[in-house]
Amino acid sequence: MRRKIIAGNWKMNKTIVEAVALAAAIKREVGQIEHPVMVICPPFTALTEVSMALKDSEIQVGAQNMHQEDSGAFTGEVSAEMVLTSGCSYVILGHSERRTLFSETDQLVNAKTRKALTVGLTPIVCVGESLTQRQAGQMETVIEGQFNGLLDGLSAEEIRRIVIAYEPVWAIGTGQVATPEQAEEVHRFIRGLLARQYDEATASEITILYGGSVKGSNAAGLFAKENIDGALVGGASLKADEFVAIVKAMI
Ligand code: PEP
């Protein structure tokens, strides 16, 4: 059975003290639940403290980004090993904010994905079309193009170790969630791409998350769909009760 995952992307929010308090509040409610897998992704500065706060729980910690090189003169960057040794087991890569605000390309995200896999991190790799692209009927072409670039050269064994997040850009932070049908259509399309590039068995094992304005009130409808294996949650993951409600919608 595919791994179901609820991941929270805290973006550039929460000081260390605030992050530990939020992690502790989530742990109190759902800390011992093994399935779905919960992953919280605080800013780099809070990774170690949050990991320590969650040590005796089932909740995993992830970073929101990392650099593709091992070390060196890359001022302001953080390596995969640094992320790993801060207590992380996951890393979000290729988020649309990284692509639009920090000019990340599919090729760069591919390099980061490979590096994350070499140190044993599970990359959560994001794809998604903009509103203009969707309205122009280009959704499938855009997703397929990103998919080919992001996952270029990955073996079936490697692909089984990644998580894909479908995050339509028009739904991120807008309150305009995709309908379960809209999301399912794209998830099915992505699974089809995986089957074509690898094989049916591999495609059926890969967790595909939906992201974009997921809340406690709309999560269950999304999770009822066959190919939606959980969520990557932004805004609602900053409130313990909302995040917990999303987790409970999966149980
Ligand atoms: C995100 O940024 O990954 C995201 C899904 O944000 P939100 O849930 O706030 O739309």
Side-chain angles (χ1 to χ4, degrees):
M1 201 177 69
R2 283 196 289 277
R3 199 168 22 154
K4 307 280 181 178
I5 299 176
I6 311 292
N9 174 11
W10 292 2
K11 310 194 184 188
M12 196 173 73
N13 294 292
K14 306 291 176 191
T15 62
I16 296 174
V17 170
E18 291 166 346
V20 168
L22 177 54
I26 295 170
K27 178 174 136 179
R28 265 196 304 278
E29 290 292 324
V30 289
Q32 302 314 319
I33 293 173
E34 286 174 37
H35 207 253
V37 176
M38 287 164 280
V39 185
I40 58 182
C41 305
F44 287 131
T45 45
L47 290 176
T48 303
E49 299 276 354
V50 167
S51 301
M52 278 163 26
L54 295 175
K55 241 191 166 57
D56 51 348
S57 81
E58 297 295 333
I59 304 170
Q60 308 289 308
V61 179
Q64 300 169 20
N65 181 32
M66 48 160 259
H67 197 269
Q68 69 279 13
E69 297 294 338
D70 288 327
S71 62
F74 301 103
T75 301
E77 293 292 333
V78 170
S79 74
E81 197 186 355
M82 291 170 190
V83 164
L84 184 76
T85 55
S86 298
C88 293
S89 41
Y90 288 78
V91 59
I92 300 170
L93 295 175
H95 189 280
S96 72
E97 285 153 18
R98 299 289 323 163
R99 292 160 177 271
T100 50
L101 303 174
F102 302 97
S103 310
E104 291 201 2
T105 61
D106 293 338
Q107 288 66 31
L108 179 65
V109 181
N110 177 270
K112 292 184 179 199
T113 303
R114 289 162 176 275
K115 180 56 68 180
L117 289 170
T118 63
V119 304
L121 288 166
T122 300
I124 301 176
V125 184
C126 305
V127 296
E129 81 289 359
S130 68
L131 185 59
T132 322
Q133 290 165 332
R134 176 168 275 259
Q135 286 171 340
Q138 295 167 347
M139 181 271 286
E140 292 195 351
T141 323
V142 170
I143 301 286
E144 185 165 359
Q146 290 176 344
F147 176 90
N148 290 337
L150 293 173
L151 307 179
D152 186 33
L154 294 184
S155 67
E157 184 277 321
E158 288 170 319
I159 198 86
R160 280 196 207 99
R161 292 194 281 130
I162 77 163
V163 172
I164 294 176
Y166 167 57
E167 296 212 308
V169 179
W170 48 270
I172 297 178
T174 59
Q176 197 194 334
V177 65
T179 64
E181 291 69 31
Q182 281 174 319
E184 172 67 8
E185 180 193 4
V186 185
H187 283 227
R188 204 176 322 110
F189 176 68
I190 293 171
R191 213 175 293 289
L193 293 175
L194 289 164
R196 210 169 69 199
Q197 190 141 330
Y198 299 94
D199 54 73
E200 291 284 349
T202 302
S204 71
E205 275 179 39
I206 293 170
T207 299
I208 308 177
L209 308 181
Y210 166 78
S213 299
V214 176
K215 298 183 286 193
S217 56
N218 59 30
L222 291 158
F223 299 160
K225 294 293 180 189
E226 189 186 335
N227 288 289
I228 300 181
D229 305 315
L232 178 54
V233 185
S237 71
L238 292 169
K239 297 178 209 116
D241 55 347
E242 271 293 324
F243 188 71
V244 165
I246 294 168
V247 171
K248 290 189 172 165
M250 174 63 89
I251 296 170

